[in-house]
Amino acid sequence: MTHKVLFTGKTHNTNGRDGGARSSDGFLDVKMKQPHPAAENLFGAAWSACYMGAIEVAASQKQIKLPAGIAVDAEIDLNVDDGNYFLSARFNVSVPGVDPGIARELLDAAHSICPYSKATHGNVTVVTNLV
């Protein structure tokens, strides 16, 4: 099987009091002093952005025109149990102007399209709420 690489994100990360992350294209430049939950915030931003794109793909596949104003509020929890660290997530998704039943179908379909959702499936508990 061959695949086509659409994009490669490249970042350089450093730790400590002057730590941070910077992308090779300069688009991302974040200071992350330790300790700070920046990783969870960045992961939530990246995953929810990808997920919104997947909602658009799902709508297009079902020939549904989405209105402007779709939004995802992502909450990424860093948890610990018996010394084992793990993530859990909540997505609160607004799809204004779309019937709630149809919106729910799109949200569910988006998790099977979004590469972040696929990568975390079975590893991260995700609750997706339609708000």
Side-chain angles (χ1 to χ4, degrees):
M1 180 173 105
T2 62
H3 65 274
K4 178 181 178 182
V5 174
L6 299 176
F7 179 79
T8 300
K10 297 178 184 178
T11 58
H12 177 74
N13 296 282
T14 56
N15 67 352
R17 294 182 65 176
D18 296 321
R22 180 174 170 78
S23 62
S24 62
D25 61 6
F27 183 75
L28 177 69
D29 190 1
V30 180
K31 301 296 178 204
M32 297 186 296
K33 296 179 183 178
Q34 298 295 330
H36 188 276
E40 289 75 23
N41 290 335
L42 290 169
F43 185 61
W47 188 0
S48 61
C50 178
Y51 183 69
M52 279 196 308
I55 293 170
E56 293 173 355
V57 170
S60 175
Q61 290 173 345
K62 295 179 181 280
Q63 298 180 344
I64 297 170
K65 182 164 175 38
L66 291 176
I70 293 175
V72 178
D73 291 317
E75 300 173 8
I76 307 297
D77 299 322
L78 174 61
N79 307 286
V80 64
D81 184 16
D82 253 351
N84 295 309
Y85 296 92
F86 61 97
L87 300 175
S88 57
R90 284 173 306 288
F91 283 5
N92 298 306
V93 186
S94 173
V95 188
V98 175
D99 174 86
I102 293 172
R104 173 51 62 190
E105 287 179 26
L106 295 176
L107 302 187
D108 293 343
H111 277 300
S112 67
I113 296 168
C114 172
Y116 284 81
S117 294
K118 288 179 182 181
T120 59
H121 183 74
N123 297 308
V124 175
T125 301
V126 182
V127 174
T128 306
N129 300 307
L130 178 60
V131 296

